[in-house]
Amino acid sequence: HSMELTVTTRTILGKKVAALRAKGLVPAELFDRGVENRHLAVTARDAAAAYKTAGEHTVITLVMDGGERIPAVFADVDMDYRAGTMRSLGFHQIHMDEKIQARVPIRLSGDAPAKKEGFPIVLVLSEIELEALPDRMPHELVVGVETLATPGQTIYVRDLVVPKDVKVRANEDAAIVTIGEKTKEEVASTTPAAAAEPATTTENAAAAEPAAKA
């Protein structure tokens, strides 16, 4: 069940939209291929809440003032970051029987044995492009890292498990997540010599100080 957002048709256009904003409304446009744009208004509070939840790749249902229901996705959101408000926004009408492409975030799940050994988990790909019917598009792809135990071990795009009606639009040889080597400091801290290190660094700093002043 998709999230609903109530919108109204607006007749106020051009420079007069400032009056809309003063009432807590955001001017919006609904775009659809081969059809003229529809001019809409939505309350700033509802728009912000819907955008926070849906982002730009989740289909929402616009409920028009006449009762018409239109599936759409957010597009062209113009934020005023200083004020934390939306200046204007656009929606693209979605046709539920036509596949869409969207970039969805990748989320890692589970515990990688390599992490317990102190090896870093490196997320190489944070989002991936998928193709699916609008109501079959996942919100995110979850990648389990329980099998990653040694440096160099990698999960590739070809290893992804996606629903059969979802197509991955990415190079199958691209790495998604890999296990890195330990950093030099981590290797050094496991050697006994490391205990003497803090003292030497402070002496060096003290010796270098007069030179730095000059």
Side-chain angles (χ1 to χ4, degrees):
H1 179 71
S2 90
M3 170 182 248
E4 294 185 354
L5 181 61
T6 303
V7 296
T8 53
T9 309
R10 69 182 158 99
T11 47
I12 297 174
L13 306 173
K15 293 206 170 80
K16 295 180 186 161
V17 293
L20 277 181
R21 294 193 185 102
K23 290 185 190 155
L25 295 169
V26 179
E29 296 286 329
L30 175 61
F31 308 106
D32 189 13
R33 282 194 313 272
V35 185
E36 216 172 297
N37 292 357
R38 292 164 78 166
H39 310 295
L40 309 172
V42 58
T43 70
R45 196 181 59 216
D46 291 352
Y51 185 59
K52 190 176 175 189
T53 306
E56 293 197 354
H57 55 252
T58 299
V59 179
I60 63 170
T61 302
L62 300 181
V63 182
M64 311 291 271
D65 32 16
E68 188 185 357
R69 301 168 66 80
I70 295 174
V73 289
F74 277 98
D76 310 324
V77 175
D78 181 15
M79 295 290 292
D80 179 343
Y81 289 100
R82 269 208 308 241
T85 55
M86 286 181 179
R87 279 190 287 259
S88 64
L89 55 100
F91 298 104
H92 278 293
Q93 184 162 341
I94 295 295
H95 300 274
M96 299 309 280
D97 56 348
E98 287 180 21
K99 288 186 173 178
I100 57 170
Q101 282 106 36
R103 298 186 76 81
V104 307
I106 288 174
R107 181 167 64 81
L108 301 182
S109 78
D111 287 321
K115 196 175 181 185
K116 294 189 183 78
E117 300 295 322
F119 294 104
I121 296 175
V122 183
L123 182 61
V124 183
L125 212 59
S126 60
E127 56 176 24
I128 193 161
E129 190 169 351
L130 303 178
E131 181 176 284
L133 286 170
D135 57 349
R136 305 297 298 156
M137 180 66 73
H139 295 277
E140 61 180 9
L141 270 193
V142 179
V143 176
V145 294
E146 299 85 350
T147 57
L148 299 177
T150 53
Q153 251 191 306
T154 303
I155 294 173
Y156 297 94
V157 168
R158 60 173 175 268
D159 304 322
L160 286 174
V161 179
V162 294
K164 63 178 188 299
D165 44 10
V166 175
K167 182 179 166 194
V168 178
R169 293 170 57 89
N171 181 345
E172 63 170 28
D173 296 327
I176 292 172
V177 57
T178 188
I179 298 300
E181 297 285 352
K182 287 187 185 180
T183 60
K184 284 197 181 69
E185 293 86 76
E186 284 167 341
V187 175
S189 67
T190 56
T191 60
E197 250 181 8
T200 42
T201 46
T202 34
E203 279 161 29
N204 292 351
E209 229 175 68
K213 279 185 188 131

